[in-house]
Amino acid sequence: MSDPHLLLIGEGLALGMPRRDMLPEYHRWENDARTILGYGNQWAQAWEVRESGWERQRGNSRYQQFEIVRLEDRAAIGVTVLQINTFVQTAEFVVVLAPEARGKGYATEATRLTLDWAFHLGALRMVWLKVLEPNRAGIAAYEKAGFRQSGRLRKSGYWLGQPVDELLMDALPEDFPGPSAVAAAVQ
């Protein structure tokens, strides 16, 4: 595996460039049963589909992906994505953590670092996400990172085979809780 190329360093995590040689790990994380449950999907994605999507994603300036790297051992533990709408300078946020990295507080810092980049380098006006209402851990992590609940899509997702509401959450630059790793890096 290649060494991570770190872009933005936080307290315990960093955002790095995604690496092609990590694609099998990304695919494993995305196809974990808890990831599939959390996104309201029903089925795993075939390797061939994931692999063919890699080049399209990397060549799409509206699809900005970051690898989440744990600083203590420089291990990749997840990815975040900003799917940017360049017409209105907003983006949808997505995070996937490795199964073994969940429950350790990493989602909050990874989300905060991605918002820091989005607002202070990407000059986005707003970042939003959808989360299934039963995903209490995800909602708490997003709120700690600066997201606020802004709406509800009734019975639009599935949790353990049952229809559930999806909550819409958004963050504005003034919601960013700081400290800014971007500001620290340029001083």
Side-chain angles (χ1 to χ4, degrees), residues 25-82:
E25 277 298 289
Y26 303 160
H27 184 253
R28 179 179 71 84
W29 304 338
E30 294 160 353
N31 285 292
D32 177 73
R34 289 174 293 170
T35 303
I36 291 170
L37 174 66
Y39 286 109
N41 298 337
Q42 288 83 32
W43 313 109
Q45 182 183 61
W47 167 252
E48 294 80 7
V49 172
R50 181 62 174 104
E51 185 178 36
S52 70
W54 171 259
E55 293 304 324
R56 281 193 315 277
Q57 290 171 348
R58 298 305 310 140
N60 182 350
S61 64
R62 295 180 182 180
Y63 189 91
Q64 293 298 314
Q65 186 177 23
F66 300 98
E67 184 176 85
I68 306 165
V69 178
R70 189 172 47 221
L71 290 173
E72 70 184 41
D73 58 2
R74 296 180 68 87
I77 61 162
V79 293
T80 64
V81 176
L82 293 168

Side-chain angles (χ1 to χ4, degrees), residues 2 35 56 128 155:
S2 60
T35 303
R56 281 193 315 277
W128 64 277
K155 303 224 185 272

Side-chain angles (χ1 to χ4, degrees), residues 8-168:
L8 187 61
I9 297 172
E11 296 171 19
L13 300 177
L15 296 181
M17 293 292 297
R19 297 174 281 166
R20 184 157 195 5
D21 61 343
M22 286 295 296
L23 193 55
E25 277 298 289
Y26 303 160
H27 184 253
R28 179 179 71 84
W29 304 338
E30 294 160 353
N31 285 292
D32 177 73
R34 289 174 293 170
T35 303
I36 291 170
L37 174 66
Y39 286 109
N41 298 337
Q42 288 83 32
W43 313 109
Q45 182 183 61
W47 167 252
E48 294 80 7
V49 172
R50 181 62 174 104
E51 185 178 36
S52 70
W54 171 259
E55 293 304 324
R56 281 193 315 277
Q57 290 171 348
R58 298 305 310 140
N60 182 350
S61 64
R62 295 180 182 180
Y63 189 91
Q64 293 298 314
Q65 186 177 23
F66 300 98
E67 184 176 85
I68 306 165
V69 178
R70 189 172 47 221
L71 290 173
E72 70 184 41
D73 58 2
R74 296 180 68 87
I77 61 162
V79 293
T80 64
V81 176
L82 293 168
Q83 296 178 46
I84 300 167
N85 180 333
T86 57
F87 298 108
V88 293
Q89 287 303 107
T90 65
E92 181 178 6
F93 172 77
V94 177
V95 60
V96 175
L97 287 179
E100 56 277 7
R102 295 179 187 144
K104 298 179 172 142
Y106 296 140
T108 297
E109 185 176 1
T111 300
R112 188 179 53 74
L113 283 169
T114 306
L115 285 177
D116 195 1
W117 186 288
F119 295 141
H120 301 118
L121 291 173
L124 296 179
R125 294 184 314 122
M126 185 267 290
V127 177
W128 64 277
L129 61 85
K130 293 188 296 187
V131 60
L132 297 172
E133 188 172 36
N135 186 352
R136 290 285 167 221
I139 294 166
Y142 300 141
E143 287 176 338
K144 287 179 195 171
F147 279 95
R148 304 288 175 255
Q149 292 188 31
S150 59
R152 172 182 303 270
L153 300 172
R154 297 179 298 155
K155 303 224 185 272
S156 63
Y158 285 95
W159 187 269
L160 296 175
Q162 299 300 311
V164 297
D165 292 356
E166 284 183 289
L167 301 180
L168 296 173

